[in-house]
Amino acid sequence: MAFLPVVRRTIGLGALAGAGLTAYAAWEARQYTLRRVTVPLLPAGHAPLKVLHLSDIHMAPDQRAKQDWLRGLAALEPDLVVNTGDNLAHSRSVPVLADALGGLLDVPGVYVLGSNDYWVPGMRNPLLYLLPDTGKRHTSGRQLPWPDLKDRFNSAGWLDLTNGFGRLDVGGTSIAFAGVDDPHLQYDDLGRVAGPADPATDVRIGVTHAPYLRVLDQFAADGYEAIIAGHTHGGQVCLPLLNGGGRALTTNCDIEPARARGLHRHPADSAPGDERSAWLHVSAGLGTNPYVRIRVACRPEATLMTFVPVGTAQEA
């Protein structure tokens, strides 16, 4: 039949295009990028603070390029590191991660954990992320060595914000923190961190792995001027936009795709100065599920946030 060669050519071209897109997506997943953003957060007269936000590293021992890139971040000389979880992707990753973080472990830091610090990741159909969340979580498999991870961070002096509070004095600025365990696994205990943020400090920051609205709402209502989160991977596979970057198709939580990454306000329609309103920074993170190492229009990232006095322009 005359149409059979056309069908064969169409199938062949489709397969070629699919292979090309997959190759590109695997390449993009290794294009580690440092984002920079300025956040007007400090009281007048305070010196700027450089805050490095790390999230969703998903480290595996064979990811040497990622380890080298991470190791180079110490040269930024941040004043503070905020780690929002999902550090691991393999049972032998803790010493590898600690070595890659290197000098960053000598910097004051705070952290919370995510689901991929607790549980060995499994193979999942990526299309499932586009469907409504069933609420089912994979928490019956093998555990990752999260106690060892916490021991490494704690021994470095980083503050564990798992359903708790912390306080640091950094560069002449006192910062109060509240954090929750992973909301995606429903490990968060908002009752334990409820109540007005410490008024005796200069800045108040909420930290969570996954930016679920229930967590963001409470932190903003309790007076935390900034909330720092990860988990979304920025959508990971996004629709490319003509002006660069991409539009997230999914967030793997209940925050809307428009705020899947970057600096925003919470609530979304609030403005600086509004009561019960906060800056929200969501990192697209540095890694992927180890079985699906692809990204499209959403490069892996860490973010260097510069906190400056209120009244300074937002964008760097």
Side-chain angles (χ1 to χ4, degrees):
M1 295 184 181
F3 69 89
L4 284 179
V6 175
V7 171
R8 292 193 189 99
R9 283 197 298 271
T10 301
I11 293 173
L13 289 172
L16 185 62
L21 178 60
T22 300
Y24 170 82
W27 172 84
E28 185 171 323
R30 299 189 299 275
Q31 303 312 300
Y32 306 111
T33 301
L34 180 68
R35 307 290 185 192
R36 296 176 185 264
V37 65
T38 300
V39 189
L41 189 64
L42 305 180
H46 281 242
L49 295 177
K50 293 191 295 183
V51 180
L52 181 63
H53 180 191
L54 299 175
S55 196
D56 299 88
I57 297 172
H58 293 280
M59 182 63 76
D62 65 331
Q63 295 178 314
R64 304 256 173 15
K66 184 191 293 184
Q67 293 157 29
D68 290 342
W69 191 86
L70 262 177
R71 202 170 286 114
L73 294 178
L76 297 170
E77 298 184 342
D79 301 298
L80 174 68
V81 178
V82 178
N83 182 310
T84 49
D86 271 11
N87 292 275
L88 307 179
H90 193 281
S91 60
R92 297 197 302 272
S93 289
V94 172
V96 174
L97 175 70
D99 178 71
L101 291 174
L104 292 176
L105 291 173
D106 297 325
V107 175
V110 299
Y111 73 92
V112 293
L113 300 186
S115 60
N116 284 274
D117 295 310
Y118 290 115
W119 300 99
V120 172
M123 181 63 181
R124 291 195 67 194
N125 182 350
L127 295 178
L128 293 177
Y129 290 103
L130 300 175
L131 301 177
D133 186 3
T134 64
K136 183 179 179 180
R137 302 291 182 257
H138 300 278
T139 57
S140 58
R142 291 184 296 122
Q143 288 197 13
L144 287 165
W146 59 269
D148 294 341
L149 179 66
K150 294 184 78 165
D151 285 346
R152 291 285 184 127
F153 288 169
N154 293 344
S155 64
W158 284 13
L159 298 183
D160 180 359
L161 298 178
T162 304
N163 291 326
F165 301 99
R167 174 174 170 157
L168 287 174
D169 291 305
V170 181
T173 296
S174 59
I175 307 175
F177 297 94
V180 291
D181 207 345
D182 184 19
H184 189 62
L185 296 179
Q186 298 184 9
Y187 288 175
D188 55 308
D189 187 343
L190 288 171
R192 290 181 59 181
V193 293
D198 186 354
T201 54
D202 298 314
V203 176
R204 291 146 286 274
I205 298 175
V207 182
T208 178
H209 172 62
Y212 277 82
L213 296 178
R214 65 181 183 271
V215 179
L216 307 184
D217 289 346
Q218 177 168 306
F219 280 154
D222 284 348
Y224 291 90
E225 295 108 331
I227 307 168
I228 301 176
H231 175 72
T232 65
H233 293 197
Q236 188 165 325
V237 175
C238 299
L239 291 176
L241 300 177
L242 293 177
N243 60 350
R247 184 175 68 188
L249 300 175
T250 182
T251 65
N252 200 24
C253 63
D254 61 358
I255 196 171
E256 67 279 13
R259 293 191 293 163
R261 59 176 167 173
L263 185 66
H264 302 277
R265 297 295 300 178
H266 188 79
D269 58 355
S270 65
D274 291 355
E275 289 189 22
R276 300 189 173 188
S277 170
W279 289 109
L280 169 65
H281 186 264
V282 181
S283 174
L286 278 167
T288 65
N289 182 296
Y291 299 102
V292 189
R293 296 182 182 182
I294 59 172
R295 282 180 179 251
V296 176
C298 185
R299 292 192 172 187
E301 68 181 31
T303 305
L304 187 66
M305 300 182 289
T306 302
F307 291 174
V308 297
V310 173
T312 305
Q314 173 184 338
E315 296 295 335

